[in-house]
Each structure stands twice: as C-alpha cells, then as structure tokens.
Amino acid sequence: MLQTSYIALKMIYDNYIKKISDRFEKRFSEIDPQWNFDMGNEFETELATVIEELLPDKFGVCKGFVTPMEGNSRGDDIIIYDKMNVPLIKPPNTHKFTRKESVPLEATYTYIEAKNTIELKDTTVGTYIGKALNQVSQIKRLERRPRPFAKIIEGFNLENIKFERNIGSPQILNPMYTVLFARGARINGELVTDIKKIKEYLPVDYGEFGPDLIILGPNFGIAPYYVDRNEKSKSYGTYYETPFCIRGRHEMIIYEMPEMAYGFGLCSLLHALQLIKLDSMPWRKVLGEIIVEADKRSMKNRKNTI
C-alpha cells in the first residue's frame, strides 16, 4: 500500500515534490559530508539561497530581524518579505546573505528558524529545540494591524460582502507564517533517524505561538492536522486542511516522508504565501512622524503669523 501511494505521488506534476527535495539535498550535500554542530551559519546561507532560487520574484529572501515600527527587533535567521514594495539596503559588492537586514514587520511574510541539526533532549546546547521554538514564538508574538477580508481589494470597503474561507485557515488576510527548518535531529548529540525516537522527545504542546511547519531532515515533516471529533466514522477525520496551525483546532503531528520532506516544506511555504495578503506599508504614518519632528525644529525659523 505504501509503495502504491508513493508511485501515485510521483505522478503529481511529474514528481514535482521529489525533484524539489533533491534540489535541497544537493545544495546541502555541498556544505560538508559530515554532520557537524559548527555548520549553522553556512547551512542558513545555503537554505536561504535555495529558497530564493525557487520562490517567485515578488518575494525577497534575506537573513536578519523582523522589526516593528517601534523597534524591538526579533529573530535573526531567514525572512521572506515583500520585495516589490520594501526594497532593502545592502552594501555593494558583498554576498547578499553575509549581512543581517532589518525587515519591517508589515512587509514580512515568513520567518524561518534554521538549524543545521536540532537537539531534542540536551537543554544546555545552543541547538536545543526549545530555544529554536522560543525564537519562533517571539516572532509570532509581534502584533501588526490585521488585514480583514473586507480589505482584500486596496482602496475599497467591502464590509457588506460575505467572504468565505476555509474555517481552519486564519480569519485575516495577513497572518505570519513561521517555520523551523533543520537538516536533522539529535538526541544527546547523537544523530537520530528513527521516527519513534524522534517522536518520544518532541514537545507535546508547541504553545499558542508555535511554528506552522517543522522540517527535520529529508525524511520527516511536522505539520498541522485537524481531527473532526464529531465525525463518527473511524475511516474519516485526519486530513490536511491548511498550512497554518490554528491553536485549538489543529495539532502538530510528525509524518515520515522518505526523501520528500524538503519538497513538502517548500510547497507548504508556497501554499502559505499564496494565501497571505499583506496590508499596505504605513508610509503615511512614517512620513507624518518625520514631518512632526521637522516642524518642531523649524518653528523658530517661521515668521509670525496672524
């Protein structure tokens, strides 16, 4: 049955997901043939590079921090942002992923916490999964103005029109999509590839601000699933509903996906990006703040007015 299922998967867009997975694997294999703890920065760069190569041109990819208007930046890994409306300033003649950028919160689609390997048990090491999940949580806690369905067309108020969206999807147009992406998992420093062992040490609850997707190497993906507890049929209940994990409706479940997890992750990302409609950048407010300060400074130079 499993073999038949994977034969069917190969027929989807000419084995599209597997080909994407192979693209990731080829890129990662060029880093180092050994699994080392000190390859984190290089892994982040290679992951950002291959994601940028595969995404449509409207999406920008950089390494850096998500920054609200008031400051207090969060995160320090890979960010996918609205390149068409918010170009970032980079120094000339340098590799684009060697410098950390500051990306406006309103222009951010996705934050990806990248680890060469993730430690599932030893809480003392920097690669411990709890620390990575905390980084993701800090991003999700950032508050930005929600874009309701009534603002799906810029400049029009469509409040009197009824919008229907999958009940399991976020009920706003601009949710943040977050990912934890690792090349593999370790338990007390030892690389582990047994799904039962991995599952034993994974968190039971990822919390209200947990990631929407976790990739643990080429063979394992952790994604949200929904179980209709009111459905009496034992043959029905678990299915893929949305790339976003909605607390109280979904649970994060680990799936074994031999040589397919990287492709599953990229397609989950594409699905989320297709659904997200960012709100407009608040340029009027930004410029207004500058004008207010400039006006205060120039008051002394004004002539008396009647």
Side-chain angles (χ1 to χ4, degrees):
M1 180 65 179
L2 183 62
Q3 183 178 3
T4 302
S5 298
Y6 273 87
I7 290 175
L9 280 173
K10 289 182 178 180
M11 298 175 64
I12 298 177
Y13 295 124
D14 190 25
N15 209 9
Y16 183 73
I17 294 179
K18 178 61 166 58
K19 289 177 179 178
I20 290 177
S21 294
D22 291 344
R23 179 84 167 267
F24 277 87
E25 189 60 58
K26 183 177 185 299
R27 175 75 68 172
F28 298 156
S29 67
E30 296 173 353
I31 298 176
D32 193 302
Q34 303 297 320
W35 293 81
N36 295 319
F37 285 112
D38 58 352
M39 303 304 295
N41 290 333
E42 190 172 355
F43 173 70
E44 289 177 19
T45 297
E46 294 303 321
L47 178 59
T49 300
V50 71
I51 288 175
E52 183 181 53
E53 291 173 353
L54 291 168
L55 288 184
D57 290 341
K58 65 178 287 188
F59 301 107
V61 180
C62 70
K63 292 170 64 178
F65 308 91
V66 180
T67 306
M69 186 180 294
E70 299 77 15
N72 299 320
S73 298
R74 295 290 184 270
D76 64 354
D77 275 6
I78 300 171
I79 297 169
I80 299 175
Y81 66 95
D82 181 5
K83 183 173 67 174
M84 305 302 289
N85 292 310
V86 185
L88 302 182
I89 308 300
K90 294 182 172 65
N93 302 321
T94 62
H95 191 286
K96 67 181 306 176
F97 295 124
T98 59
R99 172 176 171 171
K100 301 281 188 178
E101 294 284 357
S102 182
V103 182
L105 172 61
E106 287 75 15
T108 302
Y109 285 99
T110 300
Y111 176 77
I112 302 174
E113 182 72 16
K115 300 293 181 184
N116 186 49
T117 57
I118 200 80
E119 170 62 47
L120 302 180
K121 186 177 181 181
D122 186 353
T123 62
T124 65
V125 299
T127 57
Y128 176 57
I129 189 171
K131 297 178 181 179
L133 292 174
N134 182 58
Q135 286 283 84
V136 171
S137 174
Q138 289 185 33
I139 297 295
K140 275 211 164 179
R141 289 175 185 274
L142 294 175
E143 295 184 1
R144 62 183 175 190
R145 183 177 62 183
R147 182 177 182 179
F149 290 167
K151 289 185 63 178
I152 194 168
I153 300 177
E154 192 67 33
F156 288 85
N157 188 338
L158 305 177
E159 291 182 357
N160 295 326
I161 298 178
K162 182 179 179 181
F163 291 89
E164 293 184 358
R165 194 171 191 180
N166 187 331
I167 193 172
S169 298
Q171 297 304 299
I172 58 173
L173 291 169
N174 61 332
M176 180 79 73
Y177 188 68
T178 56
V179 181
L180 172 55
F181 197 115
R183 192 180 175 190
R186 293 178 182 269
I187 296 176
N188 286 334
E190 295 294 326
L191 186 66
V192 58
T193 58
D194 182 347
I195 189 172
K196 292 182 180 179
K197 292 289 291 184
I198 293 175
K199 186 176 181 180
E200 181 181 352
Y201 290 99
L202 284 173
V204 176
D205 185 358
Y206 292 89
E208 182 179 358
F209 301 99
D212 300 293
L213 173 72
I214 300 175
I215 299 298
L216 297 178
N219 302 322
F220 302 105
I222 301 176
Y225 86 101
Y226 163 63
V227 176
D228 186 348
R229 295 175 176 83
N230 296 320
E231 177 57 48
K232 297 180 180 179
S233 171
K234 294 182 179 180
S235 63
Y236 173 82
T238 303
Y239 59 98
Y240 182 83
E241 185 179 51
T242 173
F244 298 95
C245 184
I246 309 300
R247 185 167 174 81
R249 183 174 181 87
H250 302 107
E251 297 177 20
M252 295 293 283
I253 298 296
I254 185 169
Y255 298 96
E256 192 165 10
M257 307 171 176
E259 300 180 349
M260 303 281 278
Y262 294 149
F264 175 82
L266 191 279
C267 289
S268 295
L269 173 60
L270 289 171
H271 187 191
L273 293 175
Q274 186 179 56
L275 295 174
I276 298 171
K277 311 296 180 188
L278 294 176
D279 205 357
S280 300
M281 279 291 295
W283 293 126
R284 180 180 177 185
K285 183 176 181 180
V286 172
L287 297 173
E289 292 291 335
I290 296 174
I291 290 295
V292 168
E293 290 302 315
D295 187 61
K296 291 178 181 178
R297 290 175 178 274
S298 59
M299 288 250 336
K300 62 181 181 181
N301 296 324
R302 293 184 187 178
K303 295 181 179 180
N304 294 330
T305 58
I306 298 176

PDB file of all heavy atoms in Angstrom, residues 235-263:
ATOM      1  N   SER A 235     -13.122   5.786   9.655  1.00  0.00           N
ATOM      2  CA  SER A 235     -12.294   5.887   8.454  1.00  0.00           C
ATOM      3  C   SER A 235     -12.064   7.340   8.046  1.00  0.00           C
ATOM      4  O   SER A 235     -11.372   7.613   7.086  1.00  0.00           O
ATOM      5  CB  SER A 235     -12.953   5.133   7.294  1.00  0.00           C
ATOM      6  OG  SER A 235     -14.201   5.723   6.967  1.00  0.00           O
ATOM      7  N   TYR A 236     -12.641   8.277   8.801  1.00  0.00           N
ATOM      8  CA  TYR A 236     -12.561   9.684   8.422  1.00  0.00           C
ATOM      9  C   TYR A 236     -12.105  10.513   9.615  1.00  0.00           C
ATOM     10  O   TYR A 236     -12.335  10.159  10.764  1.00  0.00           O
ATOM     11  CB  TYR A 236     -13.934  10.193   7.971  1.00  0.00           C
ATOM     12  CG  TYR A 236     -13.983  11.671   7.709  1.00  0.00           C
ATOM     13  CD1 TYR A 236     -13.545  12.191   6.503  1.00  0.00           C
ATOM     14  CD2 TYR A 236     -14.434  12.551   8.690  1.00  0.00           C
ATOM     15  CE1 TYR A 236     -13.587  13.555   6.276  1.00  0.00           C
ATOM     16  CE2 TYR A 236     -14.482  13.911   8.462  1.00  0.00           C
ATOM     17  CZ  TYR A 236     -14.057  14.405   7.265  1.00  0.00           C
ATOM     18  OH  TYR A 236     -14.074  15.743   7.030  1.00  0.00           O
ATOM     19  N   GLY A 237     -11.436  11.597   9.360  1.00  0.00           N
ATOM     20  CA  GLY A 237     -11.128  12.502  10.449  1.00  0.00           C
ATOM     21  C   GLY A 237      -9.830  13.254  10.278  1.00  0.00           C
ATOM     22  O   GLY A 237      -9.784  14.456  10.464  1.00  0.00           O
ATOM     23  N   THR A 238      -8.756  12.578   9.920  1.00  0.00           N
ATOM     24  CA  THR A 238      -7.457  13.232   9.838  1.00  0.00           C
ATOM     25  C   THR A 238      -7.149  13.607   8.398  1.00  0.00           C
ATOM     26  O   THR A 238      -7.131  12.751   7.530  1.00  0.00           O
ATOM     27  CB  THR A 238      -6.357  12.299  10.368  1.00  0.00           C
ATOM     28  OG1 THR A 238      -6.682  11.915  11.704  1.00  0.00           O
ATOM     29  CG2 THR A 238      -5.013  13.015  10.376  1.00  0.00           C
ATOM     30  N   TYR A 239      -6.897  14.882   8.137  1.00  0.00           N
ATOM     31  CA  TYR A 239      -6.561  15.285   6.783  1.00  0.00           C
ATOM     32  C   TYR A 239      -5.862  16.641   6.812  1.00  0.00           C
ATOM     33  O   TYR A 239      -5.926  17.361   7.782  1.00  0.00           O
ATOM     34  CB  TYR A 239      -7.804  15.337   5.896  1.00  0.00           C
ATOM     35  CG  TYR A 239      -8.875  16.288   6.375  1.00  0.00           C
ATOM     36  CD1 TYR A 239      -8.979  17.559   5.846  1.00  0.00           C
ATOM     37  CD2 TYR A 239      -9.787  15.901   7.359  1.00  0.00           C
ATOM     38  CE1 TYR A 239      -9.961  18.429   6.282  1.00  0.00           C
ATOM     39  CE2 TYR A 239     -10.761  16.762   7.792  1.00  0.00           C
ATOM     40  CZ  TYR A 239     -10.855  18.022   7.263  1.00  0.00           C
ATOM     41  OH  TYR A 239     -11.817  18.879   7.705  1.00  0.00           O
ATOM     42  N   TYR A 240      -5.212  16.949   5.716  1.00  0.00           N
ATOM     43  CA  TYR A 240      -4.518  18.234   5.592  1.00  0.00           C
ATOM     44  C   TYR A 240      -5.539  19.313   5.284  1.00  0.00           C
ATOM     45  O   TYR A 240      -6.300  19.212   4.328  1.00  0.00           O
ATOM     46  CB  TYR A 240      -3.476  18.161   4.487  1.00  0.00           C
ATOM     47  CG  TYR A 240      -2.673  19.435   4.324  1.00  0.00           C
ATOM     48  CD1 TYR A 240      -1.578  19.682   5.142  1.00  0.00           C
ATOM     49  CD2 TYR A 240      -3.010  20.386   3.376  1.00  0.00           C
ATOM     50  CE1 TYR A 240      -0.840  20.849   5.017  1.00  0.00           C
ATOM     51  CE2 TYR A 240      -2.288  21.550   3.240  1.00  0.00           C
ATOM     52  CZ  TYR A 240      -1.199  21.778   4.063  1.00  0.00           C
ATOM     53  OH  TYR A 240      -0.470  22.940   3.939  1.00  0.00           O
ATOM     54  N   GLU A 241      -5.529  20.368   6.084  1.00  0.00           N
ATOM     55  CA  GLU A 241      -6.550  21.406   5.941  1.00  0.00           C
ATOM     56  C   GLU A 241      -5.966  22.760   5.568  1.00  0.00           C
ATOM     57  O   GLU A 241      -6.543  23.496   4.775  1.00  0.00           O
ATOM     58  CB  GLU A 241      -7.314  21.525   7.262  1.00  0.00           C
ATOM     59  CG  GLU A 241      -8.479  22.493   7.225  1.00  0.00           C
ATOM     60  CD  GLU A 241      -9.191  22.537   8.562  1.00  0.00           C
ATOM     61  OE1 GLU A 241      -8.517  22.715   9.591  1.00  0.00           O
ATOM     62  OE2 GLU A 241     -10.412  22.409   8.565  1.00  0.00           O
ATOM     63  N   THR A 242      -4.817  23.096   6.121  1.00  0.00           N
ATOM     64  CA  THR A 242      -4.237  24.417   5.924  1.00  0.00           C
ATOM     65  C   THR A 242      -2.759  24.373   6.285  1.00  0.00           C
ATOM     66  O   THR A 242      -2.344  23.543   7.105  1.00  0.00           O
ATOM     67  CB  THR A 242      -4.941  25.458   6.829  1.00  0.00           C
ATOM     68  OG1 THR A 242      -4.254  26.721   6.742  1.00  0.00           O
ATOM     69  CG2 THR A 242      -4.948  25.012   8.277  1.00  0.00           C
ATOM     70  N   PRO A 243      -1.939  25.251   5.712  1.00  0.00           N
ATOM     71  CA  PRO A 243      -0.532  25.302   6.119  1.00  0.00           C
ATOM     72  C   PRO A 243      -0.338  25.984   7.469  1.00  0.00           C
ATOM     73  O   PRO A 243       0.739  25.888   8.061  1.00  0.00           O
ATOM     74  CB  PRO A 243       0.125  26.104   4.995  1.00  0.00           C
ATOM     75  CG  PRO A 243      -0.965  26.966   4.471  1.00  0.00           C
ATOM     76  CD  PRO A 243      -2.213  26.140   4.578  1.00  0.00           C
ATOM     77  N   PHE A 244      -1.363  26.670   7.966  1.00  0.00           N
ATOM     78  CA  PHE A 244      -1.268  27.382   9.231  1.00  0.00           C
ATOM     79  C   PHE A 244      -1.780  26.526  10.381  1.00  0.00           C
ATOM     80  O   PHE A 244      -2.781  25.826  10.246  1.00  0.00           O
ATOM     81  CB  PHE A 244      -2.082  28.679   9.179  1.00  0.00           C
ATOM     82  CG  PHE A 244      -1.605  29.656   8.149  1.00  0.00           C
ATOM     83  CD1 PHE A 244      -2.190  29.681   6.888  1.00  0.00           C
ATOM     84  CD2 PHE A 244      -0.585  30.544   8.427  1.00  0.00           C
ATOM     85  CE1 PHE A 244      -1.758  30.580   5.926  1.00  0.00           C
ATOM     86  CE2 PHE A 244      -0.143  31.441   7.472  1.00  0.00           C
ATOM     87  CZ  PHE A 244      -0.724  31.459   6.216  1.00  0.00           C
ATOM     88  N   CYS A 245      -1.095  26.590  11.511  1.00  0.00           N
ATOM     89  CA  CYS A 245      -1.529  25.861  12.697  1.00  0.00           C
ATOM     90  C   CYS A 245      -2.388  26.784  13.554  1.00  0.00           C
ATOM     91  O   CYS A 245      -1.892  27.771  14.101  1.00  0.00           O
ATOM     92  CB  CYS A 245      -0.328  25.355  13.500  1.00  0.00           C
ATOM     93  SG  CYS A 245      -0.787  24.343  14.924  1.00  0.00           S
ATOM     94  N   ILE A 246      -3.667  26.480  13.646  1.00  0.00           N
ATOM     95  CA  ILE A 246      -4.608  27.269  14.430  1.00  0.00           C
ATOM     96  C   ILE A 246      -4.814  26.570  15.765  1.00  0.00           C
ATOM     97  O   ILE A 246      -5.363  25.473  15.827  1.00  0.00           O
ATOM     98  CB  ILE A 246      -5.958  27.427  13.699  1.00  0.00           C
ATOM     99  CG1 ILE A 246      -5.740  27.913  12.265  1.00  0.00           C
ATOM    100  CG2 ILE A 246      -6.875  28.359  14.475  1.00  0.00           C
ATOM    101  CD1 ILE A 246      -5.042  29.247  12.162  1.00  0.00           C
ATOM    102  N   ARG A 247      -4.361  27.198  16.832  1.00  0.00           N
ATOM    103  CA  ARG A 247      -4.447  26.583  18.152  1.00  0.00           C
ATOM    104  C   ARG A 247      -5.899  26.298  18.530  1.00  0.00           C
ATOM    105  O   ARG A 247      -6.786  27.126  18.327  1.00  0.00           O
ATOM    106  CB  ARG A 247      -3.803  27.474  19.206  1.00  0.00           C
ATOM    107  CG  ARG A 247      -3.748  26.833  20.582  1.00  0.00           C
ATOM    108  CD  ARG A 247      -2.830  27.620  21.496  1.00  0.00           C
ATOM    109  NE  ARG A 247      -2.837  27.135  22.860  1.00  0.00           N
ATOM    110  CZ  ARG A 247      -2.136  26.092  23.284  1.00  0.00           C
ATOM    111  NH1 ARG A 247      -1.376  25.432  22.433  1.00  0.00           N
ATOM    112  NH2 ARG A 247      -2.177  25.700  24.545  1.00  0.00           N
ATOM    113  N   GLY A 248      -6.147  25.136  19.059  1.00  0.00           N
ATOM    114  CA  GLY A 248      -7.492  24.731  19.433  1.00  0.00           C
ATOM    115  C   GLY A 248      -8.196  23.956  18.340  1.00  0.00           C
ATOM    116  O   GLY A 248      -9.212  23.300  18.586  1.00  0.00           O
ATOM    117  N   ARG A 249      -7.647  24.024  17.121  1.00  0.00           N
ATOM    118  CA  ARG A 249      -8.251  23.287  16.005  1.00  0.00           C
ATOM    119  C   ARG A 249      -7.286  22.258  15.422  1.00  0.00           C
ATOM    120  O   ARG A 249      -7.693  21.208  14.955  1.00  0.00           O
ATOM    121  CB  ARG A 249      -8.684  24.261  14.913  1.00  0.00           C
ATOM    122  CG  ARG A 249      -9.385  23.572  13.740  1.00  0.00           C
ATOM    123  CD  ARG A 249      -9.919  24.583  12.744  1.00  0.00           C
ATOM    124  NE  ARG A 249     -10.596  23.917  11.644  1.00  0.00           N
ATOM    125  CZ  ARG A 249     -11.870  23.567  11.644  1.00  0.00           C
ATOM    126  NH1 ARG A 249     -12.605  23.795  12.719  1.00  0.00           N
ATOM    127  NH2 ARG A 249     -12.428  22.977  10.602  1.00  0.00           N
ATOM    128  N   HIS A 250      -6.014  22.593  15.448  1.00  0.00           N
ATOM    129  CA  HIS A 250      -5.011  21.704  14.871  1.00  0.00           C
ATOM    130  C   HIS A 250      -4.005  21.224  15.913  1.00  0.00           C
ATOM    131  O   HIS A 250      -3.819  21.867  16.940  1.00  0.00           O
ATOM    132  CB  HIS A 250      -4.243  22.416  13.753  1.00  0.00           C
ATOM    133  CG  HIS A 250      -5.112  22.904  12.648  1.00  0.00           C
ATOM    134  ND1 HIS A 250      -5.391  24.237  12.465  1.00  0.00           N
ATOM    135  CD2 HIS A 250      -5.791  22.247  11.677  1.00  0.00           C
ATOM    136  CE1 HIS A 250      -6.190  24.386  11.418  1.00  0.00           C
ATOM    137  NE2 HIS A 250      -6.450  23.198  10.933  1.00  0.00           N
ATOM    138  N   GLU A 251      -3.369  20.131  15.597  1.00  0.00           N
ATOM    139  CA  GLU A 251      -2.246  19.621  16.371  1.00  0.00           C
ATOM    140  C   GLU A 251      -1.076  19.417  15.415  1.00  0.00           C
ATOM    141  O   GLU A 251      -1.274  19.129  14.239  1.00  0.00           O
ATOM    142  CB  GLU A 251      -2.608  18.301  17.050  1.00  0.00           C
ATOM    143  CG  GLU A 251      -3.736  18.411  18.068  1.00  0.00           C
ATOM    144  CD  GLU A 251      -4.102  17.061  18.663  1.00  0.00           C
ATOM    145  OE1 GLU A 251      -3.262  16.145  18.590  1.00  0.00           O
ATOM    146  OE2 GLU A 251      -5.224  16.926  19.165  1.00  0.00           O
ATOM    147  N   MET A 252       0.133  19.582  15.937  1.00  0.00           N
ATOM    148  CA  MET A 252       1.318  19.369  15.118  1.00  0.00           C
ATOM    149  C   MET A 252       1.726  17.900  15.209  1.00  0.00           C
ATOM    150  O   MET A 252       2.037  17.393  16.283  1.00  0.00           O
ATOM    151  CB  MET A 252       2.454  20.275  15.582  1.00  0.00           C
ATOM    152  CG  MET A 252       2.183  21.762  15.387  1.00  0.00           C
ATOM    153  SD  MET A 252       2.095  22.239  13.646  1.00  0.00           S
ATOM    154  CE  MET A 252       3.835  22.268  13.225  1.00  0.00           C
ATOM    155  N   ILE A 253       1.704  17.216  14.076  1.00  0.00           N
ATOM    156  CA  ILE A 253       1.961  15.783  14.020  1.00  0.00           C
ATOM    157  C   ILE A 253       3.160  15.507  13.113  1.00  0.00           C
ATOM    158  O   ILE A 253       3.299  16.109  12.039  1.00  0.00           O
ATOM    159  CB  ILE A 253       0.734  15.027  13.471  1.00  0.00           C
ATOM    160  CG1 ILE A 253      -0.461  15.231  14.399  1.00  0.00           C
ATOM    161  CG2 ILE A 253       1.024  13.544  13.314  1.00  0.00           C
ATOM    162  CD1 ILE A 253      -0.274  14.657  15.780  1.00  0.00           C
ATOM    163  N   ILE A 254       4.043  14.591  13.543  1.00  0.00           N
ATOM    164  CA  ILE A 254       5.195  14.228  12.732  1.00  0.00           C
ATOM    165  C   ILE A 254       4.814  13.149  11.727  1.00  0.00           C
ATOM    166  O   ILE A 254       4.104  12.198  12.054  1.00  0.00           O
ATOM    167  CB  ILE A 254       6.381  13.760  13.607  1.00  0.00           C
ATOM    168  CG1 ILE A 254       7.612  13.497  12.713  1.00  0.00           C
ATOM    169  CG2 ILE A 254       6.023  12.556  14.462  1.00  0.00           C
ATOM    170  CD1 ILE A 254       8.892  13.292  13.509  1.00  0.00           C
ATOM    171  N   TYR A 255       5.263  13.341  10.497  1.00  0.00           N
ATOM    172  CA  TYR A 255       4.993  12.391   9.418  1.00  0.00           C
ATOM    173  C   TYR A 255       6.315  11.912   8.826  1.00  0.00           C
ATOM    174  O   TYR A 255       7.253  12.701   8.686  1.00  0.00           O
ATOM    175  CB  TYR A 255       4.172  13.049   8.301  1.00  0.00           C
ATOM    176  CG  TYR A 255       2.818  13.537   8.729  1.00  0.00           C
ATOM    177  CD1 TYR A 255       2.624  14.871   9.102  1.00  0.00           C
ATOM    178  CD2 TYR A 255       1.724  12.677   8.770  1.00  0.00           C
ATOM    179  CE1 TYR A 255       1.386  15.336   9.486  1.00  0.00           C
ATOM    180  CE2 TYR A 255       0.473  13.140   9.158  1.00  0.00           C
ATOM    181  CZ  TYR A 255       0.310  14.468   9.516  1.00  0.00           C
ATOM    182  OH  TYR A 255      -0.914  14.927   9.904  1.00  0.00           O
ATOM    183  N   GLU A 256       6.364  10.656   8.472  1.00  0.00           N
ATOM    184  CA  GLU A 256       7.530  10.124   7.783  1.00  0.00           C
ATOM    185  C   GLU A 256       7.326  10.297   6.287  1.00  0.00           C
ATOM    186  O   GLU A 256       6.341   9.818   5.723  1.00  0.00           O
ATOM    187  CB  GLU A 256       7.736   8.651   8.131  1.00  0.00           C
ATOM    188  CG  GLU A 256       9.086   8.119   7.687  1.00  0.00           C
ATOM    189  CD  GLU A 256       9.428   6.801   8.353  1.00  0.00           C
ATOM    190  OE1 GLU A 256       8.544   6.215   9.012  1.00  0.00           O
ATOM    191  OE2 GLU A 256      10.590   6.365   8.220  1.00  0.00           O
ATOM    192  N   MET A 257       8.251  10.998   5.640  1.00  0.00           N
ATOM    193  CA  MET A 257       8.156  11.315   4.219  1.00  0.00           C
ATOM    194  C   MET A 257       9.493  11.003   3.562  1.00  0.00           C
ATOM    195  O   MET A 257      10.292  11.914   3.312  1.00  0.00           O
ATOM    196  CB  MET A 257       7.818  12.797   4.015  1.00  0.00           C
ATOM    197  CG  MET A 257       6.606  13.296   4.757  1.00  0.00           C
ATOM    198  SD  MET A 257       6.463  15.099   4.662  1.00  0.00           S
ATOM    199  CE  MET A 257       4.906  15.374   5.504  1.00  0.00           C
ATOM    200  N   PRO A 258       9.797   9.752   3.290  1.00  0.00           N
ATOM    201  CA  PRO A 258      11.112   9.391   2.753  1.00  0.00           C
ATOM    202  C   PRO A 258      11.517  10.214   1.532  1.00  0.00           C
ATOM    203  O   PRO A 258      10.851  10.183   0.505  1.00  0.00           O
ATOM    204  CB  PRO A 258      10.944   7.906   2.394  1.00  0.00           C
ATOM    205  CG  PRO A 258       9.866   7.427   3.308  1.00  0.00           C
ATOM    206  CD  PRO A 258       8.919   8.586   3.440  1.00  0.00           C
ATOM    207  N   GLU A 259      12.573  11.002   1.674  1.00  0.00           N
ATOM    208  CA  GLU A 259      13.155  11.820   0.610  1.00  0.00           C
ATOM    209  C   GLU A 259      12.169  12.836   0.031  1.00  0.00           C
ATOM    210  O   GLU A 259      12.353  13.316  -1.078  1.00  0.00           O
ATOM    211  CB  GLU A 259      13.704  10.928  -0.511  1.00  0.00           C
ATOM    212  CG  GLU A 259      14.785   9.973  -0.037  1.00  0.00           C
ATOM    213  CD  GLU A 259      15.304   9.102  -1.170  1.00  0.00           C
ATOM    214  OE1 GLU A 259      14.687   9.106  -2.251  1.00  0.00           O
ATOM    215  OE2 GLU A 259      16.326   8.427  -0.978  1.00  0.00           O
ATOM    216  N   MET A 260      11.128  13.172   0.798  1.00  0.00           N
ATOM    217  CA  MET A 260      10.113  14.093   0.304  1.00  0.00           C
ATOM    218  C   MET A 260       9.913  15.310   1.211  1.00  0.00           C
ATOM    219  O   MET A 260       9.201  16.237   0.854  1.00  0.00           O
ATOM    220  CB  MET A 260       8.766  13.363   0.174  1.00  0.00           C
ATOM    221  CG  MET A 260       8.770  12.145  -0.721  1.00  0.00           C
ATOM    222  SD  MET A 260       8.682  12.574  -2.467  1.00  0.00           S
ATOM    223  CE  MET A 260       6.932  12.814  -2.653  1.00  0.00           C
ATOM    224  N   ALA A 261      10.502  15.315   2.409  1.00  0.00           N
ATOM    225  CA  ALA A 261      10.185  16.343   3.401  1.00  0.00           C
ATOM    226  C   ALA A 261      10.577  17.743   2.942  1.00  0.00           C
ATOM    227  O   ALA A 261       9.844  18.709   3.192  1.00  0.00           O
ATOM    228  CB  ALA A 261      10.848  16.009   4.734  1.00  0.00           C
ATOM    229  N   TYR A 262      11.729  17.880   2.293  1.00  0.00           N
ATOM    230  CA  TYR A 262      12.136  19.210   1.833  1.00  0.00           C
ATOM    231  C   TYR A 262      11.144  19.749   0.793  1.00  0.00           C
ATOM    232  O   TYR A 262      10.782  20.929   0.825  1.00  0.00           O
ATOM    233  CB  TYR A 262      13.531  19.167   1.222  1.00  0.00           C
ATOM    234  CG  TYR A 262      14.638  18.835   2.207  1.00  0.00           C
ATOM    235  CD1 TYR A 262      15.775  18.145   1.797  1.00  0.00           C
ATOM    236  CD2 TYR A 262      14.557  19.221   3.537  1.00  0.00           C
ATOM    237  CE1 TYR A 262      16.802  17.840   2.682  1.00  0.00           C
ATOM    238  CE2 TYR A 262      15.578  18.923   4.430  1.00  0.00           C
ATOM    239  CZ  TYR A 262      16.701  18.224   4.000  1.00  0.00           C
ATOM    240  OH  TYR A 262      17.707  17.926   4.880  1.00  0.00           O
ATOM    241  N   GLY A 263      10.711  18.902  -0.108  1.00  0.00           N
ATOM    242  CA  GLY A 263       9.731  19.322  -1.100  1.00  0.00           C
ATOM    243  C   GLY A 263       8.395  19.657  -0.462  1.00  0.00           C
ATOM    244  O   GLY A 263       7.723  20.623  -0.845  1.00  0.00           O
TER     245      GLY A 263
END
